[in-house]
Amino acid sequence: QVQLVESGGGLVQPGGSLRLSCAASGFTFSSSAMRWYRQAPGKERELVATISSSTSTNYAESVKGRFTISRDNAKNTVYLQMNSLKPEDTAVYYCNARYYIRSIAYTYWGQGTQVTVSS
């Protein structure tokens, strides 16, 4: 059974850092694209960062230069290192996996982890 389990969220002061982890199981992690999304209260869910199976990355403009997505295929884990955090980064962060089998897409979501940036 496919599972994505996020951890590492919490309360941090502006300018601080936090690292989120997403442990994956039940599928071939190394061949899957992994993404981090976030959703703040009253706002649409937005894509924060993407890492492909070949480890190429993309970031939302709002986090570029501050956040880094990475993956460890030996541990079936994707990370989001968040530096220079701002109050507007406050949201529930979700791990997402997508892979294809014979042109059919399969998408899975984690349960989310709360990140709060406040003084």
Side-chain angles (χ1 to χ4, degrees):
Q1 188 171 38
V2 172
Q3 289 190 81
L4 299 173
V5 181
E6 298 105 327
S7 61
L11 174 65
V12 64
Q13 294 187 348
S17 297
L18 211 57
R19 189 182 75 160
L20 306 183
S21 299
C22 174
S25 61
F27 64 101
T28 305
F29 177 85
S30 60
S31 63
S32 301
M34 302 297 298
R35 296 176 172 89
W36 286 97
Y37 287 79
R38 68 185 182 187
Q39 187 168 26
K43 300 190 70 176
E44 297 290 322
R45 186 173 296 187
E46 65 173 338
L47 177 62
V48 176
T50 300
I51 185 165
S52 72
S53 59
S54 61
T55 70
S56 63
T57 59
N58 284 287
Y59 299 92
E61 287 297 321
S62 59
V63 308
K64 195 171 296 182
R66 299 188 297 120
F67 290 12
T68 302
I69 188 171
S70 62
R71 65 194 299 157
D72 186 339
N73 289 342
K75 297 181 178 179
N76 282 6
T77 301
V78 63
Y79 305 94
L80 186 67
Q81 178 67 47
M82 304 184 293
N83 299 325
S84 302
L85 283 162
K86 305 173 181 179
E88 51 262 44
D89 295 319
T90 296
V92 177
Y93 284 71
Y94 297 91
C95 180
N96 170 273
R98 176 169 289 190
Y99 61 94
Y100 293 84
I101 301 177
R102 299 189 184 276
S103 300
I104 300 174
Y106 297 83
T107 303
Y108 298 95
W109 294 89
Q111 82 289 347
T113 185
Q114 176 71 49
V115 172
T116 303
V117 185
S118 177
S119 58

